[in-house]
Amino acid sequence: MNDGILGIENRTENWKTARIFAPLSKCQRARFVASLCPRTEVSATSVKMELFWKGVCDHVHESDTDKEFWSEYSDMFRGLRNCIKSSTFRLQLPNKWNYATDCCHKSKLLSNLKGTEIDIVFETPDHLFIGEAKSLSGFGRDGKLVLVHQLIRQYVAASLLMRVKKEKKKIIPFIVADNLDSVNRSEQVKFMKARGWLDKANIIDWDDVLNRVAGRKMHRCAQAAAS
């Protein structure tokens, strides 16, 4: 019998994410992040986790750093628009302000950054793991935004927050999804992998999450290294 409300199964990504990740113990969290970054030792007490994280919004609420975000964006991602335009991937840029570094689009960019939510975030002393959960829907894209594409937007937001806070942590994106073939066909995913921002080994399914936190399955990179 279905145990959902009124016998209806909740199929939303947020519910699935919360149901699987929220109950993880400290040891399970450490196992999972270690699987995303092989050959890195992670102690259970050093791992922090948050779900549905709006790091830029929360940081700006506590400190007046709007100008810093714009300055760092203009420095770190000045060539991103041209990189996307010149790539072989079909990433649409319908408006002139998409990924623009013109000062006239400053408020629009800052609004994008503050509104950026990342489903699953783990922090260790040396890394920030940013995860996107997918079940039925595809990756978001909105030409009205400066940062058009969901995965790129999340990486940019996390990178800028690290720079503004003067942190040296390495950002490691990962994706948990039902249909890995569909995910790997995504133009956003292809672009992220081509830039070296996303490791193909960190695109996993929900069963793999359960295996990793239980320690039942070695990370594929670790398997290759051991053979």
Side-chain angles (χ1 to χ4, degrees), residues 92-191:
Q92 300 298 314
L93 299 173
N95 293 298
K96 62 182 180 181
W97 57 76
N98 300 146
Y99 300 104
T101 52
D102 313 20
C103 194
C104 57
H105 304 304
K106 177 179 177 180
S107 61
K108 186 184 286 285
L109 171 78
L110 292 172
S111 176
N112 293 178
L113 292 172
K114 292 175 186 177
T116 299
E117 180 180 271
I118 301 175
D119 292 334
I120 312 150
V121 177
F122 292 96
E123 181 188 12
T124 69
D126 299 314
H127 298 87
L128 188 74
F129 300 85
I130 58 173
E132 176 61 22
K134 283 298 171 197
S135 183
L136 300 176
S137 63
F139 299 105
R141 55 187 183 275
D142 187 346
K144 297 188 296 294
L145 304 179
V146 173
L147 306 173
V148 183
H149 306 95
Q150 182 181 16
L151 294 180
I152 299 174
R153 180 165 64 250
Q154 291 174 352
Y155 185 84
V156 169
S159 299
L160 294 176
L161 188 55
M162 289 296 97
R163 181 74 76 90
V164 167
K165 289 185 65 63
K166 296 178 173 54
E167 294 277 0
K168 301 295 185 181
K169 301 178 191 291
K170 182 178 180 181
I171 297 171
I172 300 183
F174 66 96
I175 299 171
V176 184
D178 285 325
N179 189 331
L180 299 189
D181 288 338
S182 176
V183 167
N184 280 296
R185 288 196 298 270
S186 164
E187 299 298 308
Q188 291 189 44
V189 169
K190 291 177 183 177
F191 180 82

Side-chain angles (χ1 to χ4, degrees), residues 24-25 27-32 34-35 207-219 223:
L24 296 184
S25 68
C27 288
Q28 289 173 324
R29 295 176 188 179
R31 286 192 202 110
F32 183 72
S35 78
D207 287 339
D208 198 11
V209 173
L210 298 177
N211 286 326
R212 290 176 184 223
V213 301
R216 290 194 296 263
K217 183 178 180 182
M218 288 177 65
H219 188 277
Q223 288 177 324

